[in-house]
Amino acid sequence: MRECSAVSNLMSTYLRLPVTFIKGEGVWLWDDRDDCYLDALCGIAVCSLGHSHPELTKALCKQAGMLIHTSNLYHIEKQELLAGRLAALSGMDRVFFCNSGAEANEAAIKLARLYGHNKGIELPTIIVMERSFHGRTMATLTATGNRKAQAGFEPLLAGFVRVPYDDLNAVAQIADNNKHVVAVLVETYQGEGGVNFPQINYLQGLRQLCDQNGWLLMLDEVQCGIGRTGKWFAFQHGGIMPDVMTLAKGLGSGVPIGACIATGEAGEVFKPGNHASTFGGNLLACTAALTTLDVIEKDRLMQNAVQVGNFIRDRFKEKLAHWLNVIQIRGQGLMLGIELPVPCGELIKEALKHRLLINVTSERVVRLLPALIMNQAEAEQVVDISSEIIDKFLTGQAANIITRDRPGSSN
Ligand SMILES: *Cc1c(COP(=O)(O)O)cnc(C)c1O
């Protein structure tokens, strides 16, 4: 590890950790001093095949040597193939390709507004959730439920109303009071907001409210989609179909690609000229995505995600058994969070000292998003190192935890 030099020509948008990786293989990364790290984050749920997957490397090299980009002025066969593949996997119809999660959600928001205008709704309004994260463009930042991220960028956009996540009554109340609503935009499982999973009937309840009111159900699966939770898409755990779904992170294994997928009436909303992207769905990006989907299927990586994810959760429960009254261990597949009773951002650096990459989100939630190829032995190392760090940290914080969680009781 090395401290970053004081002078940089980069804008200071990131607080970076003092490490520079130059090589990766599977769930392992090497820094510029040849120290080896165990990666339990895979580039924030992006590199689901692990680093330097041989099939992906081969496919990308081959495509790069043939043709990388043509623009969407022309037919792109791999885009058609990828759209067909995503449609078959999701049961949905139509795909628009872009380059990031924010862009995918931006497309969904525009689609919802146009859908509303087509129905004669002049001020189309989208219901969004507290603690949500949808991106950093102006529209997606407005949709995001995090005042800190929005501060300083006002005026935000009009046309959004916010309710608590996992609260069907709050959505139902809006149905009674607001006739401008055209859509609900929600992460099927919340990532940045603390790795939050809703009640079992939440998605079905939202589906029902959308159907009753003629709203689009738009699911942001940028983080939880593409096999991470044990199904291709997290909504498939809930037994419903959305009208719109957005994807990005895990779709291209690190080559930037996003997708806004729609079905039925929603799939017919955009007409030529309504929306576009210069880079969106170029040959290199589509090759990355097609190969990613192939490998996930062929190597049964979703089954692995479930097995290894369950193993991680169970082992955490064993290792942290004496803290289970103050922490919560949540997860589905390889989307995992451990909520601590106190802010714990310092655990990221502590883990780094132990050559382990983890994340803390929403101040108090240790987040793990390992590659879907992680095996049990590797997962065991992840849990053993991180539970030891968490245990030490909580022991040091014991005084704060007792006063915080049991006010007025000292024993
Ligand atoms: C990361 C993320 C986004 C934004 O994706 P970018 O590629 O950073 O624009 C949107 N929604 C969710 C749920 C995310 O996790």
Side-chain angles (χ1 to χ4, degrees), residues 17-76:
L17 291 161
V19 59
T20 305
F21 296 113
I22 56 169
K23 191 176 74 181
E25 197 181 310
V27 298
W28 302 94
L29 283 167
W30 283 266
D31 71 5
D32 52 3
R33 296 173 168 196
D34 218 26
D35 283 331
C36 180
Y37 295 71
L38 178 51
D39 183 3
L41 208 55
C42 78
I44 320 182
V46 168
C47 305
S48 292
L49 307 184
H51 303 287
S52 311
H53 192 285
E55 277 169 72
L56 181 68
T57 305
K58 193 175 152 204
L60 288 176
C61 289
K62 188 174 166 206
Q63 187 62 54
M66 205 147 85
L67 190 60
I68 291 178
H69 176 88
T70 63
S71 89
N72 288 298
L73 295 173
Y74 313 101
H75 285 279
I76 299 170

Side-chain angles (χ1 to χ4, degrees), residues 157-409:
L157 270 63
F160 293 88
V161 282
R162 194 173 306 286
V163 296
Y165 182 66
D166 200 14
D167 183 345
L168 288 172
N169 282 334
V171 179
Q173 271 181 20
I174 292 187
D176 294 338
N177 299 319
N178 188 327
K179 298 301 159 202
H180 303 293
V181 173
V182 294
V184 177
L185 173 62
V186 56
E187 290 158 89
T188 315
Y189 301 150
Q190 286 189 335
E192 305 302 306
V195 192
N196 303 315
F197 302 90
Q199 311 266 323
I200 196 97
N201 64 347
Y202 183 59
L203 278 187
Q204 287 184 356
L206 284 181
R207 180 69 270 174
Q208 208 172 11
L209 283 165
C210 286
D211 288 343
Q212 285 163 358
N213 293 284
W215 304 339
L216 301 177
L217 178 57
M218 309 203 296
L219 298 181
D220 180 343
E221 296 228 1
V222 167
Q223 187 161 152
C224 61
I226 314 290
R228 175 153 297 278
T229 69
K231 294 202 183 277
W232 283 111
F233 309 108
F235 77 78
Q236 292 168 332
H237 294 287
I240 56 109
M241 286 289 294
D243 300 291
V244 176
M245 168 173 65
T246 55
L247 299 172
K249 290 192 168 86
L251 181 56
S253 295
V255 178
I257 181 168
C260 175
I261 311 184
T263 202
E265 209 184 333
E268 309 300 321
V269 169
F270 282 145
K271 301 286 182 236
N274 285 145
H275 198 50
S277 164
T278 299
F279 291 124
N282 81 14
L283 285 151
L284 193 74
C286 288
T287 300
L290 282 164
T291 309
T292 301
L293 299 177
D294 280 348
V295 174
I296 289 175
E297 186 165 271
K298 183 172 60 65
D299 293 350
R300 300 173 58 81
L301 295 186
M302 286 185 280
Q303 290 85 338
N304 187 65
V306 172
Q307 266 174 27
V308 175
N310 286 342
F311 170 81
I312 290 178
R313 266 194 337 218
D314 290 347
R315 196 169 172 90
F316 265 127
K317 281 180 187 158
E318 266 169 49
K319 291 253 161 186
L320 295 171
H322 47 296
W323 293 110
L324 288 181
N325 56 336
V326 291
I327 69 173
Q328 206 187 50
I329 298 167
R330 299 190 281 266
Q332 180 134 35
L334 288 172
M335 180 170 185
L336 299 145
I338 303 171
E339 181 165 346
L340 304 194
V342 287
C344 60
E346 66 196 73
L347 292 178
I348 298 173
K349 278 196 173 160
E350 203 48 43
L352 195 67
K353 282 188 206 156
H354 290 78
R355 305 276 187 263
L356 171 68
L357 307 184
I358 60 167
N359 181 246
V360 169
T361 191
S362 214
E363 291 186 348
R364 294 192 287 116
V365 181
V366 176
R367 179 171 54 162
L368 304 180
L369 298 163
L372 307 189
I373 55 149
M374 182 173 274
N375 66 33
Q376 188 163 315
E378 292 157 346
E380 199 172 317
Q381 290 189 55
V382 171
V383 180
D384 290 359
I385 299 168
S386 36
S387 57
E388 194 186 312
I389 293 168
I390 291 170
D391 184 46
K392 268 205 190 122
F393 172 77
L394 288 175
T395 304
Q397 294 279 325
N400 301 338
I401 293 166
I402 287 163
T403 47
R404 189 192 146 94
D405 272 20
R406 301 192 212 136
S409 112

